[in-house]
């Protein structure tokens, strides 16, 4: 297991490998992005009574954990749900790798008043380990992956960097 790969890296891997590379190389434009501001505000206002932001080894940053042993990840929309699911699976993977068993995952969409349960199985373990290898290859390169136009580019914090 590579302890340097964070939950955000895993999320960005699924969203866009170029974004992953930028982020990992500390090219950060997220703070000016409107979507990111909304996400942060939502994060601060949601579930105010919960014990929030549990950072483990600077690798995974869980939004909050309920006494029912459920870890929660808060998202504002379902647009890139596949990436969110992988991120929560990585949290579970990481916790199990550290000997923490019996934890479940949940993605909360407070704006939609919906949630999604996330579990991890053996196939996910294999898949995550493969992805960790791929992420290492991507982030260790000196240049970002080739630009591949996507629908999400318009709303991406790195848009100017990719398209100018
Ligand atoms: S603008 Fe598009 S290609 Fe560039 S980092 Fe964002 S999502 Fe990836």
């Amino acid at each position: 297991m590579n302890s340097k790969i964070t939950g955000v890296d895993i999320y960005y891997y699924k969203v866009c490998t170029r974004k992953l590379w930028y982020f990992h190389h500390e090219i950060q434009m997220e703070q000016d992005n409107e979507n990111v501001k909304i996400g942060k505000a939502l994060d601060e206002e949601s579930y105010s009574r919960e014990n929030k932001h549990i950072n483990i080894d600077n690798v995974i940053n869980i939004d909050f954990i309920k006494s029912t042993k459920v870890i929660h990840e808060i998202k504002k929309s379902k647009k890139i749900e596949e990436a969110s699911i992988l991120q929560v699976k990585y949290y579970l993977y990481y916790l199990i790798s550290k000997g923490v068993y019996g934890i479940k995952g949940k993605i909360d969409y407070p704006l939609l008043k919906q949630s999604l349960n996330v579990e991890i199985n053996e196939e996910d373990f294999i898949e995550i380990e493969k992805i960790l290898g791929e992420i290492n290859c991507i982030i260790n390169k000196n240049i970002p992956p080739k630009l591949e136009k996507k629908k999400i580019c318009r709303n991406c914090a790195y848009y100017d960097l990719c398209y100018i």
Side-chain angles (χ1 to χ4, degrees), residues 20-94:
L20 163 69
W21 189 93
Y22 283 146
F23 181 76
H24 209 89
H25 286 253
E26 295 182 1
I27 301 168
Q28 295 189 17
M29 300 171 79
E30 297 275 325
Q31 51 274 39
D32 296 329
N33 184 279
E34 203 54 36
N35 280 326
V36 176
K37 282 186 198 159
I38 295 166
K40 281 205 175 124
L42 190 63
D43 189 35
E44 277 155 22
E45 285 167 18
S46 305
Y47 314 103
S48 55
R49 283 168 308 183
E50 310 293 347
N51 184 13
K52 297 206 291 184
H53 297 299
I54 297 106
N55 184 316
I56 300 172
D57 301 339
N58 281 332
V59 170
I60 61 172
N61 198 329
I62 296 162
D63 283 343
F64 67 92
I65 302 181
K66 279 211 156 188
S67 53
T68 45
K69 289 191 172 180
V70 180
I71 58 169
H72 289 254
E73 174 68 21
I74 304 167
K75 297 289 184 196
K76 78 177 165 54
S77 84
K78 289 185 160 189
K79 260 190 202 153
I80 321 170
E81 190 169 51
E82 208 189 341
S84 306
I85 292 171
L86 185 63
Q87 184 179 3
V88 174
K89 283 185 176 179
Y90 181 58
Y91 292 165
L92 297 173
Y93 165 92
Y94 194 81

Side-chain angles (χ1 to χ4, degrees), residues 97-145:
S97 304
K98 291 188 86 72
V100 182
Y101 297 93
I103 306 280
K104 291 178 183 165
K106 195 172 238 185
I107 303 169
D108 294 314
Y109 301 99
L111 292 179
L112 305 172
K113 298 198 185 327
Q114 291 178 20
S115 61
L116 178 78
N117 292 327
V118 179
E119 290 178 8
I120 187 167
N121 60 30
E122 271 181 40
E123 282 174 16
D124 295 321
F125 258 78
I126 296 165
E127 173 75 6
I128 287 171
E129 284 182 356
K130 192 177 126 234
I131 288 172
L132 291 176
E134 287 170 10
I135 289 178
N136 265 320
C137 284
I138 293 165
I139 61 180
N140 285 322
K141 291 212 166 108
N142 291 327
I143 53 167

Side-chain angles (χ1 to χ4, degrees), residues 16 18-19 22 147-148 150 152-153 156 158-159 162-163:
C16 170
R18 195 170 162 96
K19 187 171 174 127
Y22 283 146
L147 173 65
E148 284 173 27
K150 302 175 180 57
I152 55 157
C153 290
C156 175
Y158 295 109
Y159 181 83
C162 287
Y163 287 89

